[in-house]
């Protein structure tokens, strides 16, 4: 099986129509504040599992009131008896995402792994009201363009010591 990252449903359809096998997973940014609802449904129709990276919203990068540190998540955490991280993960798992939380702190790793699905329908609906915004839209995706657009692929190279231009993104085996 293969996996892809940040592919739209159309990009996956284009890829498979070109003869590639259907990917087993598509890894995308997903969290309460970028729930990828439309994409999740499209992937479900294609039979592709969705893996959420940055499932905690990366508040360290985007400010203390975003993602895991938001008032909304804190409120639901208090109601449910879960930590804010557990709320964020619970939300995605309830929506059939596979989650990959990152932590280097043993206590947080344990907390992320040891809990039960507890959010009720009312709490899920409350989290569904969160404003939707990408939190990990880094500069290499200017203007939110498709990462794999022809325009981006032409400029995504690195000049090697011998002068050869090589893609900075591996889409298979590089041949010079």
């Amino acid at each position: 099986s293969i996996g892809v990252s940040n592919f739209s449903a159309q990009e996956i359809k284009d890829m498979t129509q070109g003869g590639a096998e259907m990917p087993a997973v598509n890894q995308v940014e997903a969290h309460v504040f970028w729930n990828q609802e439309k994409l999740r449904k499209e992937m479900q129709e294609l039979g592709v599992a969705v893996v959420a990276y940055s499932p905690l919203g990366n508040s360290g990068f985007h400010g203390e009131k975003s993602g895991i540190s938001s008032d909304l998540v804190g409120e639901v955490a208090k109601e449910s008896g879960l930590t804010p991280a557990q709320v964020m993960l619970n939300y995605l798992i309830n929506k059939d995402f596979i989650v990959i939380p990152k932590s280097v702190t043993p206590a947080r790793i344990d907390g992320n792994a040891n809990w039960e699905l507890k959010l009720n329908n009312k709490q899920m609906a409350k989290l569904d009201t969160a404003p939707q915004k990408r939190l990990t839209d880094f500069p290499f995706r200017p203007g939110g363009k498709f990462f794999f657009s022809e325009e981006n692929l032409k400029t995504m190279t690195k000049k090697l010591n011998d002068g050869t231009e090589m893609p900075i993104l591996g889409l298979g085996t590089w041949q010079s």
Side-chain angles (χ1 to χ4, degrees), residues 70-81 84 87 123 126:
S70 74
D71 292 337
L72 174 63
V73 171
E75 183 181 317
V76 173
K78 194 174 194 177
E79 288 174 12
S80 64
V87 167
Q123 292 161 335
K126 185 183 285 188

Side-chain angles (χ1 to χ4, degrees), residues 109-169:
I109 294 168
D110 286 345
N112 290 345
N114 297 317
W115 52 279
E116 297 176 23
L117 291 176
K118 284 182 153 180
L119 296 180
N120 62 37
N121 290 342
K122 185 178 175 186
Q123 292 161 335
M124 289 291 291
K126 185 183 285 188
L127 292 168
D128 280 337
T129 68
Q132 297 297 297
K133 177 185 174 201
R134 282 192 73 131
L135 296 179
T136 59
D137 195 12
F138 297 106
F140 59 81
R141 283 188 75 143
K145 294 178 187 170
F146 285 119
F147 191 74
F148 295 101
S149 69
E150 282 296 317
E151 180 183 340
N152 281 350
L153 287 174
K154 287 177 188 170
T155 62
M156 295 169 42
T157 61
K158 172 127 177 107
K159 188 172 275 198
L160 302 177
N161 290 339
D162 68 359
T164 305
E165 292 282 328
M166 182 176 141
I168 60 171
L169 173 68

Side-chain angles (χ1 to χ4, degrees), residues 38-69:
K38 180 179 180 239
L39 180 67
R40 183 190 63 78
K41 288 177 182 176
E42 292 171 336
M43 293 297 107
Q44 191 173 39
E45 288 172 12
L46 292 171
V48 177
V50 183
V51 177
Y53 67 75
S54 253
L56 303 179
N58 201 350
S59 59
F61 189 76
H62 297 282
E64 62 185 56
K65 288 298 178 186
S66 69
I68 194 173
S69 301

